[in-house]
Amino acid sequence: MTEKRIAWFESLNVGDVPIVGGKNASLGEMVRTLEEKGVRVPGGFATTAAAFREYVAANQIEPELRASIAALQSEKGSLHETGETIRRLFLDGEFPEAIAAEIRDAYRELSRRSGQDEISVAVRSSATAEDLPQASFAGQQETFLNVRGERALLDACRRCYASLFTDRAISYRETQGFDHLEVALSIGIQRMVRSDLAGSGVMFSIDTETGFPGVAVISAAWGLGETVVQGAVDPDKYLVFKPLLDDRRYTPIIEKTLGAKETKMIYATGGSERTTTVATTQKERQAFVLSETEILELGRWAATIEDHYGRPMDMEWAKDGETGELYMVQARPETVQSSRQTGQIKSYRLKTKGKPIITGSAIGEAIASGQVCAIRSAADIDTFRDGAILVTGMTDPDWVPIMKKAAGIITDHGGTTSHAAIVSRELGVPAIVGTGHGTELLLDGQDITLSCAEGDRGVVYEGILEFESSQVDVSDLPETRTAMMVNIASPAAAFRWWRLPARGVGLARMEFIINNLIKIHPMALIHPDRVTDPAARREIRQRTRGYDDPVDFFVETLALGIAKLAAPYHPHPVIVRLSDFKSNEYAHLLGGSVFEPDEENPMLGWRGASRYYDARYREGFALECRALKTVRERIGLENVIVMVPFCRTLEEADRVLAVMKENGLERGRDGLEVYMMCEIPANVFLAEEFAQRFDGFSIGSNDLTQLVLGVDRDSGDLAPLFDERNEAVKRAIRAAIVQAHAAGIKIGICGQAPSNYPEYAAFLVEEGINSISLNPDSFVSTLRNVAQVEQSLKAAPARTTSEPDTSR
């Protein structure tokens, strides 16, 4: 026997997959090359493929193994019988003394290096055909944690060998076309990180749902990481914007979602079990597992590892509760989003709305409908009906065969990096995970529709609802002189449409984030004593739990929502409109009715700029300013531009700008640009004067049409009269463009007219508008139309130096 049986991690690299499998080769690569860059990896060693084959030969396993596989492939034996027979061959075998001695010697050396007599180790399987870019199902072989002592280690190694032939592993290799006899198993023996005393989780260097490459996605739970991988807990979720990580002035965390984290896995004491699962404390459930400093450190590691491997990565990390240090314990290629066609965007849309039953984290972006097939135990997997929607508590690799046959998947537990989520993505099956009570609320045989097309929260609806899908090709789009931008309603939508070649966001509505993520009137958080409704008070307390000051909940949630919306378009401009709720809309927020007047005509009432300096709302506006200041100065997204809506007079503009300055948002300071919505006739008539106060205009064609024509935009009776193509409206727009250019400021439009009417886009281009901002689903068709118009205007004058390039 000339081939080595044991290899220390520091002697391995990514080229050693045939010797120690993908998992262990990757660990060796990180130890050798990335520890000097600050990435900590627990030390350890691996048994080699040669040791595995020597074990097989010494125990004369191959003849019966071949016979069992042949029987399976000829359908003379079942998958269950085949797996059970082969596993027994390995479990009944004995390690040749030469292999056993080398494993024992290496374990003693690892213990010596760690300053202990018998160190606790993690024993992980690493198949030589595992964790390759083209083949990476989660959890095909076994892992054993908190293994201590030589006898226990050899027993765990034997079980790892047997796990090469679990039913799921056999089925997987049959599907992938791997020769069972060509695959060997290496075992990684790695120093345990005492994450049982702290926390651990999973990390991706790419957004797992949309493929957006600019973020690292981190899941975190208390205790050992198996609960996160298995989907047994609903973990915390953090998003880190990678392009700003190198600038230490900033804290580019763009999402922090608190998970329920109801249980944790820790070391067992006494008995034969090595680990046990216990309930977490109330304090643990309401606390984030990681500090912002730790989140950023992991984010930098994700970027470092991705840069080293040259591709998006799927990683596992752990925090040592004794030392407080973070460690990387695994890294493998990400195989789903990174392999998708980047030029294609497929979108789904419900044609009708139904009654929502339950929500959870959306996995994928598709919609599925069908009958519920509720299965609570792996023992009942055989009862699954092909094409049904699987509803269960959580999944593990044993569930993969039926997950392949499901129209959709719904789980009670798990986050976006759980087993159910990872496998659903790889299979292309839409899933909603972490619903909490799906198995209680969804009845076997019930007709439902599962929608992952409405953002990062998936919704389960009653009944079979109609839906449609469309494919958008963005691989070959023409260049345009006019800056083509997008209107984005929600942070989740920003990630969904990142592949569009948009030159920024022309309109991001702040009120959408307030209404959907915060749901509380800001004044109710500042003056909670004025909220008298007991139900509203209870819900406000529930939504702001974990915050010493409820006001901080508003500021942080709004800031993170804006940041998540802005990040996919960085460094292009993202124009965030300050809140433009009408009084009746504000009144519907939690606690809002106390602070809002009852107006006859809210559309023309207390809205937009008139609220910001008014004593009745000025404190609430200060929170909006704090959130924007956080986005630009703490998170670092300086591409955010602030826009003032419904500004009626010059005096009002001055008052708003003064209040913004008081709250740390001073036009021109640190590059801050402030725009104004051009949506009131007075904005057009006094465009020259308004242009002296603002850096740009954005035409709001809906309100401008309403006020020029005197037509209520919400009136069904007057709908035929509401037309942006009316000559009076077009003259107003033409005048605004001319005056903006004369003053040397940018002007764009963020209404729907250019999407609805190709001739309207032509009109705007002919008038020399700087930018057109569109809803994402109409972006490609309108961009092509604009390109054609620009080509036909060959004699059109070039931009003057007074017309800055909105694309930056």
Side-chain angles (χ1 to χ4, degrees):
M1 185 73 195
T2 57
E3 294 182 80
K4 60 183 179 180
R5 304 180 179 100
I6 298 294
W8 288 89
F9 287 161
E10 59 265 28
S11 70
L12 298 170
N13 59 47
V14 287
D16 291 322
V17 172
I19 300 171
V20 293
K23 201 170 289 176
N24 290 332
S26 180
L27 283 169
E29 180 75 14
M30 287 195 293
V31 169
R32 279 172 59 113
T33 62
L34 296 180
E35 282 196 334
E36 62 187 26
K37 297 181 180 179
V39 179
R40 285 183 292 275
V41 183
F45 62 93
T47 66
T48 65
F52 172 81
R53 294 191 174 99
E54 190 174 346
Y55 182 95
V56 170
N59 289 284
Q60 300 180 337
I61 290 173
E62 186 173 339
E64 195 168 346
L65 191 156
R66 284 187 180 278
S68 295
I69 292 296
L72 173 68
Q73 292 173 338
S74 63
E75 299 184 354
K76 293 179 181 177
S78 70
L79 174 62
H80 179 71
E81 291 169 342
T82 301
E84 198 170 63
T85 298
I86 297 174
R87 289 193 297 275
R88 180 49 54 194
L89 294 174
F90 282 93
L91 292 173
D92 288 345
E94 292 292 338
F95 276 97
E97 181 52 34
I99 301 177
E102 290 195 37
I103 292 174
R104 286 193 293 263
D105 288 346
Y107 174 69
R108 290 172 193 149
E109 172 60 17
L110 183 61
S111 297
R112 186 193 66 76
R113 292 181 183 186
S114 304
Q116 298 181 38
D117 292 334
E118 285 188 330
I119 191 174
S120 179
V121 293
V123 182
R124 304 180 190 276
S125 306
S126 180
T128 57
E130 178 190 49
D131 293 333
L132 302 178
Q134 71 274 21
S136 182
F137 263 95
Q140 288 303 309
Q141 279 80 46
E142 299 290 352
T143 291
F144 300 94
L145 303 176
N146 190 27
V147 177
R148 185 186 296 270
E150 295 173 11
R151 182 176 177 179
L153 174 57
L154 289 172
D155 181 62
C157 288
R158 189 182 292 108
R159 291 177 182 277
C160 279
Y161 280 170
S163 76
L164 185 60
F165 290 91
T166 58
D167 294 358
R168 59 185 181 257
I170 296 171
S171 174
Y172 176 58
R173 287 194 295 273
E174 286 287 309
T175 302
Q176 293 288 329
F178 288 120
D179 185 335
H180 298 278
L181 279 304
E182 290 298 316
V183 178
L185 192 113
S186 165
I187 303 164
I189 292 93
Q190 186 178 32
R191 179 173 66 81
M192 277 290 291
V193 176
R194 291 302 305 268
S195 57
D196 61 306
L197 304 175
S200 53
V202 176
M203 175 166 65
F204 288 82
S205 65
I206 188 173
D207 182 53
T208 50
E209 300 312 314
T210 66
F212 175 52
V215 292
V217 183
I218 304 168
S219 296
W222 299 112
L224 303 173
E226 294 302 296
T227 57
V228 178
V229 175
Q230 294 167 0
V233 296
D234 305 319
D236 294 345
K237 179 184 176 184
Y238 317 112
L239 285 183
V240 183
F241 187 51
K242 293 185 296 186
L244 296 178
L245 277 170
D246 288 339
D247 193 328
R248 299 299 174 121
R249 296 175 299 167
Y250 301 135
T251 304
I253 298 168
I254 62 172
E255 181 179 333
K256 284 177 65 179
T257 301
L258 188 69
K261 308 183 297 289
E262 293 179 345
T263 61
K264 64 178 178 178
M265 184 181 288
I266 60 173
Y267 288 2
T269 55
S272 59
E273 294 297 322
R274 300 184 181 95
T275 62
T276 186
T277 300
V278 298
T280 51
T281 65
Q282 190 67 21
K283 184 178 180 181
E284 286 174 320
R285 295 174 193 179
Q286 294 186 355
F288 286 110
V289 172
L290 295 173
S291 68
E292 290 193 342
T293 300
E294 291 166 337
I295 295 168
L296 293 177
E297 183 173 17
L298 285 176
R300 292 188 181 98
W301 286 3
T304 298
I305 293 168
E306 180 181 64
D307 289 345
H308 178 77
Y309 284 94
R311 57 173 301 128
M313 298 295 287
D314 168 359
M315 296 151 279
E316 293 181 28
W317 61 270
K319 179 180 176 180
D320 194 306
E322 292 180 333
T323 66
E325 291 182 316
L326 294 168
Y327 288 89
M328 293 302 305
V329 295
Q330 280 194 48
R332 61 179 74 85
E334 193 277 339
T335 60
V336 179
Q337 292 295 345
S338 54
S339 63
R340 287 189 175 175
Q341 287 184 306
T342 57
Q344 303 293 322
I345 303 175
K346 189 166 187 179
S347 63
Y348 291 77
R349 185 181 70 86
L350 282 172
K351 297 174 75 172
T352 56
K353 284 283 187 179
K355 180 181 177 183
I357 305 172
I358 199 167
T359 67
S361 295
I363 306 302
E365 301 172 6
I367 298 173
S369 58
Q371 285 192 342
V372 168
C373 185
I375 300 179
R376 289 174 171 78
S377 167
D380 299 323
I381 281 177
D382 291 343
T383 65
F384 181 75
R385 303 182 296 277
D386 289 4
I389 294 179
L390 172 64
V391 177
T392 189
M394 53 180 272
T395 67
D396 63 33
D398 288 327
W399 294 70
V400 171
I402 66 168
M403 293 172 76
K404 293 178 181 178
K405 302 173 183 177
I409 297 165
I410 299 168
T411 69
D412 289 344
H413 307 294
T416 57
T417 55
S418 64
H419 174 269
I422 291 171
V423 174
S424 295
R425 285 188 206 100
E426 189 150 349
L427 294 173
V429 176
I432 300 178
V433 300
T435 61
H437 306 284
T439 53
E440 297 173 26
L441 298 179
L442 301 173
L443 306 177
D444 194 68
Q446 179 181 3
D447 286 338
I448 60 170
T449 298
L450 174 162
S451 173
C452 295
E454 300 167 53
D456 48 14
R457 296 298 292 174
V459 184
V460 180
Y461 294 100
E462 280 187 2
I464 306 294
L465 304 181
E466 282 191 79
F467 63 91
E468 61 185 7
S469 64
S470 60
Q471 189 92 354
V472 178
D473 187 352
V474 297
S475 59
D476 185 27
L477 293 178
E479 293 285 332
T480 59
R481 185 197 68 182
T482 309
M484 303 302 290
M485 306 172 82
V486 285
N487 300 329
I488 295 293
S490 72
F495 272 46
R496 181 155 295 185
W497 295 101
W498 72 270
R499 286 188 172 90
L500 290 176
R503 284 151 71 180
V505 175
L507 176 63
R509 299 175 178 90
M510 183 183 285
E511 60 266 19
F512 186 96
I513 299 172
I514 296 173
N515 192 50
N516 288 275
L517 300 182
I518 297 173
K519 301 184 179 182
I520 306 169
H521 196 290
M523 296 298 287
L525 295 170
I526 298 167
H527 299 287
D529 54 301
R530 294 175 58 184
V531 179
T532 55
D533 178 15
R537 291 171 71 99
R538 279 195 302 273
E539 191 167 349
I540 289 171
R541 282 195 299 272
Q542 174 65 17
R543 295 196 64 79
T544 59
R545 72 189 189 283
Y547 288 85
D548 294 333
D549 186 344
V551 162
D552 293 337
F553 163 76
F554 183 95
V555 173
E556 180 166 310
T557 307
L558 181 55
L560 292 177
I562 294 170
K564 188 175 178 182
L565 190 151
Y569 302 95
H570 182 273
H572 294 305
V574 172
I575 303 170
V576 178
R577 190 178 71 187
L578 295 164
S579 66
D580 192 25
F581 281 123
K582 288 75 176 174
S583 55
N584 59 324
E585 295 168 336
Y586 255 126
H588 289 143
L589 294 172
L590 283 169
S593 59
V594 180
F595 301 95
E596 295 298 323
D598 185 12
E599 296 185 293
E600 286 291 332
N601 188 355
M603 187 72 77
L604 293 179
W606 192 38
R607 60 175 287 199
S610 63
R611 300 180 69 96
Y612 308 150
Y613 55 86
D614 191 305
R616 293 173 293 171
Y617 187 74
R618 189 168 179 148
E619 293 170 293
F621 180 64
L623 302 188
E624 297 182 26
C625 293
R626 273 180 57 188
L628 285 162
K629 188 175 169 67
T630 297
V631 172
R632 287 179 51 86
E633 298 179 13
R634 185 169 70 87
I635 298 175
L637 289 163
E638 295 181 347
N639 58 321
V640 166
I641 292 170
V642 181
M643 184 156 66
V644 179
F646 225 77
C647 187
R648 294 171 168 96
T649 68
L650 298 173
E651 294 76 18
E652 189 163 71
D654 291 336
R655 295 182 74 175
V656 169
L657 290 168
V659 172
M660 288 177 61
K661 183 177 178 180
E662 288 174 18
N663 287 289
L665 292 178
E666 181 179 358
R667 179 188 169 211
R669 182 170 168 264
D670 297 324
L672 174 64
E673 292 186 84
V674 182
Y675 282 24
M676 182 192 77
M677 289 290 292
C678 184
E679 56 190 341
I680 300 171
N683 300 149
V684 178
F685 299 145
L686 298 175
E688 183 180 350
E689 290 85 349
F690 277 113
Q692 295 169 14
R693 292 159 169 82
F694 295 99
D695 299 290
F697 293 158
S698 182
I699 298 166
S701 57
N702 285 339
D703 270 328
L704 187 61
T705 301
Q706 171 177 246
L707 297 173
V708 167
L709 298 180
V711 176
D712 182 351
R713 56 190 272 193
D714 291 335
S715 170
D717 294 336
L718 300 179
L721 294 175
F722 187 91
D723 191 343
E724 302 99 317
R725 295 170 294 176
N726 184 282
E727 184 59 31
V729 179
K730 291 172 70 175
R731 286 190 186 184
I733 291 174
R734 184 181 295 116
I737 294 172
V738 168
Q739 292 182 78
H741 288 170
I745 69 169
K746 301 179 279 286
I747 184 167
I749 188 169
C750 55
Q752 190 61 20
S755 303
N756 294 341
Y757 313 113
E759 70 275 16
Y760 207 80
F763 156 68
L764 293 167
V765 172
E766 289 165 2
E767 295 303 323
I769 201 160
N770 293 93
S771 64
I772 297 175
S773 193
L774 308 152
N775 290 341
D777 55 1
S778 59
F779 181 90
V780 170
S781 58
T782 309
L783 181 145
R784 293 189 187 280
N785 177 40
V786 166
Q788 289 177 351
V789 173
E790 289 182 351
Q791 280 206 332
S792 69
L793 295 174
K794 292 180 180 178
R799 292 184 187 274
T800 67
T801 55
S802 64
E803 298 174 38
D805 182 4
T806 57
S807 71
R808 293 195 172 183

